[in-house]
Structures are given as structure tokens and as C-alpha cells.
Amino acid sequence: PIFMLPPPGTAIAIATQPLRLGISEQAVNLLSALGYPTAREGLSIFVAQYELQVKAACGGLNSMISLTAVGLFYSYMRHGAGPAYHAFLFVVIVAMAMFANFVRVILLILITYYLGEGAAQG
């Protein structure tokens, strides 16, 4: 039942801010190491002449909630699974959601760099 109620917007922003900061920092570090002109200030990413804002969607909360719901259902259906399996599955789900959002941020930066701001927003 907890997955049926959307959390308040302010709670999402507060909960995902450390994730968004970490993802944006790592994305800028990786692309800078690869030679792309990127910089970061807080939740703003600068690439060439463009500025991107890392919004709450890039924190991965929606992905974590939906993947956790599916993962817990799967875990429930496996009657013989123990607590260690449930904990392992939860850690893997959270890591997958964070990695997927990291890749999404990198792709949006690259799309903005090569195709412009309109292509990344579309």
C-alpha cells in the first residue's frame, strides 16, 4: 500500500538532493576526464555554452520506488528466500536505479553538447 501514495514534492526534493549532487558531480568528473568542457556548481551542470539543471527526477527516487515494489513482489513470490536474499536484492535494486540515473545524466549532457539544448529537452 505504501507504493500507491505519491510522496510530497518537498520530501522528494530533500530526499534526492544528496543523490542528485553525487550523480551530477560524478558525471561532470567523468566527462571532464574524457575532455568535454563541463563544470558543475551545485545542481547546475555547464557544458559548452549550455546550463543544465539536475532536477528531482534525476535523483532516482521514482526508479527506486518502482523497482523496489517489483523486487519485493518477486521476493515475496519466492517462498524459500531468506532475509539475506531480501537485503541483497534491495541493495542491488538501489544500485541499479542510481546507475541508470547516472547514465541518463551523462546522455543528456552529451546530447546537449552535440545536438543542442532543444534536443536534450525533447
Side-chain angles (χ1 to χ4, degrees):
I2 193 168
F3 296 110
M4 295 173 59
L5 302 173
T10 54
I12 291 173
I14 292 170
T16 61
Q17 183 160 354
L19 292 171
R20 292 182 290 150
L21 285 169
I23 287 172
S24 63
E25 180 179 3
Q26 295 305 319
V28 167
N29 289 343
L30 175 66
L31 291 174
S32 292
L34 294 174
Y36 288 96
T38 57
R40 181 186 72 89
E41 183 178 316
L43 293 174
S44 296
I45 296 175
F46 302 95
V47 56
Q49 71 268 23
Y50 303 107
E51 178 182 358
L52 301 165
Q53 295 288 323
V54 181
K55 300 290 186 180
C58 294
L61 188 62
N62 291 336
S63 301
M64 282 188 236
I65 290 173
S66 59
L67 286 172
T68 302
V70 171
L72 290 175
F73 177 72
Y74 169 76
S75 185
Y76 173 76
M77 295 305 290
R78 286 198 62 194
H79 299 289
Y85 179 78
H86 300 305
F88 173 75
L89 188 62
F90 179 75
V91 169
V92 169
I93 287 170
V94 171
M96 283 178 17
M98 290 175 58
F99 181 73
N101 285 305
F102 173 72
V103 170
R104 180 171 56 173
V105 169
I106 288 177
L107 287 175
L108 285 173
I109 293 170
L110 292 174
I111 289 170
T112 301
Y113 180 73
Y114 285 110
L115 302 174
E117 193 174 16
Q121 291 179 1

